[in-house]
Amino acid sequence: MIQLAKEELAENQEAGKQIGKNLRQLRTSKGISIEALAKQIGVSKLTLLKIEQGEGNPTLSVIWKIANGLHIPITALLSFEADVAIARANKAMKLSSSNDEFIVEPLFRSQGLMECYRGYLQPQCRYESEAHRLGVVETVTVMAGQLTIEVEGESHHLSAYDSIHFKGDRPHAYINLGKETAVLHFLISYSLL
């Protein structure tokens, strides 16, 4: 068990280094200073510097802010490039909320227009998602458990194998009022805007 924790820690550190390398490359290719990006997305310069140096372990919220600020899919920061890719259960990179109640595993990216994720929302928890950039559409399928999704204040209850499709460029929240972890599959689609 301790060895698994060490392996997982090493994988997360390697992922953090890759995120930092990609962030620096994408930011500089767009001609954006670290100060300008920090101000634009509301994340401290020090936090961005640590991420770029591979020292930070950014939360899901910070990763989304960076991706939205750079107008890129989140997976562009994570480097998924392969002709054939397999996403094994419990082996993918994990991005979590600040309190670890919501964890997502980025799985695949298709030509930068679509991303696929697996997500886990703990029982009796709520995750508030900021609005994504204009044109983003989310499709969520509940694979296990129960989920309520709020989009602009309207609630939609889903059971196992139910799916929902909504404009993700609006504030939305994922709520698990059940007694078991909700397991979700997400497709995030980007328009060509």
Side-chain angles (χ1 to χ4, degrees):
M1 191 68 134
I2 292 172
Q3 184 159 354
L4 180 60
K6 285 180 182 177
E7 287 175 13
E8 199 169 292
L9 180 62
E11 287 175 14
N12 283 342
Q13 288 173 337
E14 194 59 38
K17 288 178 184 177
Q18 188 63 52
I19 290 169
K21 179 181 171 186
N22 291 345
L23 170 55
R24 185 173 32 262
Q25 181 182 8
L26 290 162
R27 180 184 57 74
T28 56
S29 72
K30 291 178 176 279
I32 301 171
S33 72
I34 202 155
E35 294 85 3
L37 181 60
K39 185 176 181 179
Q40 176 187 346
I41 65 175
V43 172
S44 77
K45 177 182 169 185
L46 180 60
T47 298
L48 290 177
L49 280 170
K50 284 185 174 185
I51 293 169
E52 283 197 2
Q53 294 168 354
E55 297 170 6
N57 188 11
T59 64
L60 179 60
S61 176
V62 169
I63 292 286
W64 271 115
K65 286 178 181 181
I66 292 168
N68 287 339
L70 293 173
H71 304 288
I72 58 171
I74 194 171
T75 53
L77 292 166
L78 308 175
S79 274
F80 291 116
E81 299 300 330
D83 290 338
V84 176
I86 297 173
R88 303 256 184 230
N90 300 314
K91 299 260 186 208
M93 175 190 311
K94 291 173 177 40
L95 302 172
S96 64
S97 61
S98 59
N99 54 13
D100 291 331
E101 292 177 347
F102 185 54
I103 296 172
V104 297
E105 299 172 340
L107 302 176
F108 307 110
R109 175 176 74 169
S110 173
Q111 303 298 320
L113 299 177
M114 182 188 73
E115 301 171 319
C116 183
Y117 297 87
R118 186 171 26 242
Y120 306 91
L121 183 60
Q122 297 303 311
Q124 303 299 307
C125 292
R126 176 184 182 98
Y127 177 76
E128 298 277 340
S129 180
E130 294 180 24
H132 305 305
R133 71 179 200 232
L134 186 63
V136 170
V137 175
E138 291 191 31
T139 304
V140 180
T141 300
V142 177
M143 302 307 294
Q146 304 281 315
L147 183 72
T148 298
I149 295 185
E150 286 181 4
V151 181
E152 292 187 319
E154 188 175 337
S155 295
H156 308 275
H157 181 74
L158 305 171
S159 297
Y161 306 112
D162 289 345
S163 298
I164 187 171
H165 183 78
F166 61 94
K167 293 181 179 179
D169 56 9
R170 299 178 170 126
H172 50 284
Y174 304 93
I175 305 149
N176 181 358
L177 299 174
K179 294 180 180 178
E180 65 180 270
T181 299
V183 180
L184 317 169
H185 277 187
F186 295 84
L187 288 176
I188 310 258
S189 303
Y190 297 87
S191 70
L192 294 173
L193 295 176

